[in-house]
Amino acid sequence: MRNFVYDKSETIVLILLSMIFTLIVMTIFGLLWKFVRSVIVGDVFTLRNSKRIELIACSLFILSFLSNTVQEYLISTVVHMFLNNNELDNIEWIQSVSFKFFDMNWRILLCSFIVWIIGRIFRYGSFLQEEYDATV
């Protein structure tokens, strides 16, 4: 613990990034919960559900850029807190690590694209449901 270095700016940025990440994840779970409740009630193909699904896709899109950034910044901050910068240059495994702060998570990006397509399918399904209800 004698090598512990505390930098307020790094910690504040890490806390803010973590809060934004957590807010986006909680928003996704909230939208999923509302979607599941409306499906249980029987309102499957509605415009509101399609907008919820598209909002989930947009949240996942933002998360695809933010997830690796938060992860890399967390690792970088923890390493800087426990090891001095002078000692970092002497450690072999640290020299082989490269931090990619603005890298994107391609799996989450692909999932967001698929969820967005499902949202558009639900939007068309809501249109068909409205047409069916109007003709009957």
Side-chain angles (χ1 to χ4, degrees):
M1 289 302 286
R2 64 184 167 90
N3 293 334
F4 185 76
V5 177
Y6 177 69
D7 186 13
K8 284 184 182 179
S9 62
E10 281 186 349
T11 307
I12 289 172
V13 170
L14 180 64
I15 289 171
L16 287 175
L17 283 174
S18 299
M19 287 175 56
I20 292 169
F21 183 82
T22 305
L23 181 68
I24 291 173
V25 170
M26 295 304 287
T27 301
I28 291 172
F29 282 123
L31 289 169
L32 279 174
W33 177 252
K34 289 179 182 179
F35 174 75
V36 168
R37 279 194 330 193
S38 70
V39 168
I40 289 172
V41 170
D43 297 331
V44 179
F45 291 107
T46 62
L47 189 60
R48 186 175 293 155
N49 278 344
S50 69
K51 288 182 180 179
R52 286 178 184 148
I53 294 172
E54 288 175 5
L55 279 173
I56 290 171
C58 291
S59 299
L60 285 172
F61 180 76
I62 294 169
L63 208 60
S64 70
F65 290 102
L66 196 61
S67 65
N68 284 349
T69 303
V70 170
Q71 181 182 13
E72 297 295 332
Y73 201 79
L74 174 67
I75 292 170
S76 172
T77 303
V78 169
V79 165
H80 283 147
M81 281 182 179
F82 288 106
L83 298 173
N84 291 334
N85 286 333
N86 298 333
E87 294 178 14
L88 289 177
D89 296 333
N90 299 331
I91 301 173
E92 292 177 23
W93 69 271
I94 295 282
Q95 293 174 354
S96 66
V97 173
S98 67
F99 295 109
K100 301 175 192 174
F101 288 110
F102 297 106
D103 191 21
M104 65 186 339
N105 193 331
W106 291 98
R107 291 174 288 200
I108 297 176
L109 184 68
L110 179 64
C111 287
S112 71
F113 182 69
I114 292 170
V115 170
W116 181 76
I117 290 173
I118 292 171
R120 298 305 290 187
I121 291 170
F122 267 75
R123 184 174 292 237
Y124 185 69
S126 71
F127 168 74
L128 291 177
Q129 185 69 38
E130 288 175 10
E131 289 293 320
Y132 176 75
D133 291 342
T135 56
V136 173

